[in-house]
Amino acid sequence: TKLVGDITCLPTAEGWLYLACWLDLATREVVGYSMADHHRADLVVDALKMAAGRGRLRPGCIAHSDRG
């Protein structure tokens, strides 16, 4: 299994909303996501935990995210 992750920020009437998501490259399915009003590491970790909780992470899974 190979996952790719990204974070984006969305303007809302109440301020910025940050969205982190992980996609399965084989199925192109969003397997984990998290939203918050901050851009800290736990936003990404929570999305990865969702993917793991859904049973979508296998031993040896590679998760790639751009540092840009």
Side-chain angles (χ1 to χ4, degrees):
T1 302
K2 293 182 183 177
L3 304 179
V4 292
D6 198 14
I7 300 173
T8 190
C9 51
L10 307 164
T12 70
E14 297 181 17
W16 290 100
L17 174 68
Y18 296 93
L19 170 66
C21 62
W22 289 99
L23 289 95
D24 183 323
L25 283 177
T27 64
R28 298 182 185 215
E29 177 184 359
V30 174
V31 294
Y33 66 90
S34 179
M35 296 178 281
D37 61 354
H38 59 78
H39 190 253
R40 294 189 294 267
D42 57 335
L43 176 70
V44 177
V45 171
D46 288 345
L48 197 54
K49 284 180 182 178
M50 176 187 277
R54 294 178 63 205
R56 300 308 299 254
L57 301 183
R58 304 286 183 253
C61 175
I62 298 171
H64 174 75
S65 181
D66 184 8
R67 288 184 48 185

